[in-house]
């Protein structure tokens, strides 16, 4: 069985927002809300500066608090580990928004539906394609694939690189991991 994982390599990310634009276009995301964004954080004092670019989106937790609190079963996990929302069952109670430690869900201001990153499951991943964000990244900072396939790029990178699991202390076991930025000047 496939288990999808995404890696965001902060050393390669340039903060161009191509991932966010592709996501908005592919998934018809309403203005004012985002399934994915890249945030820039400048550290240090000139000339000793460093900019970190971090991805902000759903991390596809194995132990998903949003799924656990959903009273209708609208939030659920696929067999591939992707957290989705069945909008036919969702009553927009917003429990999932409150339960998410990653602040990755939102209310669409036009449809009033709960939204989040889905790794483009419905329109790309389930068809064997990469998520839109991965397909347009100009620096290959995003790597996506089946961690259960030892020949996949994601498995090969994970076997060689040290990664960080966001908010690991919560025990959610994210499927979106980060290779932390090692670039930039020392800024002590």
């Amino acid at each position: 069985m496939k288990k999808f994982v995404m890696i965001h390599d902060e050393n390669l990310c340039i903060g161009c927002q191509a991932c966010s634009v592709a996501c908005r276009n592919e998934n018809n995301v309403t203005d004012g809300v985002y399934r994915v964004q890249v945030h820039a954080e400048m550290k240090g004092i000139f000339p000793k500066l460093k900019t970190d670019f971090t991805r902000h989106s759903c991390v596809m937790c194995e132990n998903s608090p949003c799924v656990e609190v959903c009273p209708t079963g609208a939030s659920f996990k696929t067999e591939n580990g992707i957290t989705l929302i069945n909008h036919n069952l969702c009553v927009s109670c917003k429990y999932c928004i409150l339960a998410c430690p990653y602040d990755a869900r939102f209310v669409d201001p036009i449809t009033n539906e709960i939204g989040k990153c889905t790794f483009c499951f419905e329109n790309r991943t389930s068809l064997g394609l990469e998520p839109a964000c991965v397909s347009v990244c100009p620096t290959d900072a995003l790597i996506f694939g089946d961690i259960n396939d030892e020949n996949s790029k994601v498995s090969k990178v994970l076997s060689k690189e040290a990664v960080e699991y966001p908010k690991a202390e919560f025990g959610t076991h994210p499927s979106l991991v980060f290779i932390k930025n090692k670039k930039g000047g020392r800024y002590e």
Side-chain angles (χ1 to χ4, degrees):
M1 180 178 307
K2 291 182 179 183
K3 166 90 170 70
F4 292 118
V5 171
M6 185 180 292
I7 301 170
H8 179 244
D9 188 337
E10 294 177 2
N11 297 283
L12 298 175
C13 182
I14 58 173
C16 69
Q17 299 295 340
C19 54
S20 183
V21 172
C23 175
R24 296 181 76 70
N25 186 53
E26 180 70 27
N27 298 293
N28 299 313
V29 179
T30 302
D31 288 344
V33 293
Y34 301 88
R35 287 183 173 203
V36 60
Q37 273 191 312
V38 174
H39 296 258
E41 181 181 359
M42 184 74 68
K43 296 179 181 177
I45 299 172
F46 184 81
K48 297 176 181 180
L49 296 172
K50 176 182 179 182
T51 304
D52 289 333
F53 296 106
T54 57
R55 178 186 172 104
H56 180 87
S57 71
C58 178
V59 299
M60 303 298 168
C61 306
E62 279 185 36
N63 299 325
S64 305
C66 58
V67 171
E68 292 174 23
V69 300
C70 182
T72 65
S75 287
F76 68 99
K77 305 283 298 172
T78 68
E79 61 186 18
N80 308 106
I82 296 176
T83 307
L84 297 177
I85 304 167
N86 179 337
H87 293 288
N88 293 323
L89 296 177
C90 182
V91 294
S92 294
C93 67
K94 301 178 189 69
Y95 288 171
C96 59
I97 292 174
L98 296 171
C100 177
Y102 303 95
D103 194 28
R105 290 181 175 227
F106 59 87
V107 177
D108 184 298
I110 294 176
T111 65
N112 290 319
E113 292 181 338
I114 306 297
K116 62 177 280 314
C117 170
T118 62
F119 284 171
C120 294
F121 184 76
E122 301 91 345
N123 47 348
R124 296 184 61 88
T125 307
S126 63
L127 304 173
L129 302 170
E130 291 179 319
C133 59
V134 176
S135 71
V136 300
C137 182
T139 61
D140 295 326
L142 296 173
I143 303 162
F144 180 81
D146 178 10
I147 196 168
N148 291 334
D149 176 0
E150 63 186 29
N151 295 315
S152 70
K153 186 174 181 183
V154 77
S155 290
K156 290 177 181 178
V157 170
L158 287 174
S159 71
K160 295 177 186 172
E161 292 283 345
V163 296
E164 182 177 295
Y165 292 85
K167 299 184 181 181
E169 65 273 15
F170 291 122
T172 58
H173 305 287
S175 295
L176 171 65
V177 299
F178 299 92
I179 298 174
K180 296 308 289 178
N181 186 8
K182 301 173 202 100
K183 295 181 178 182
R186 296 182 57 102
Y187 53 89
E188 291 128 14

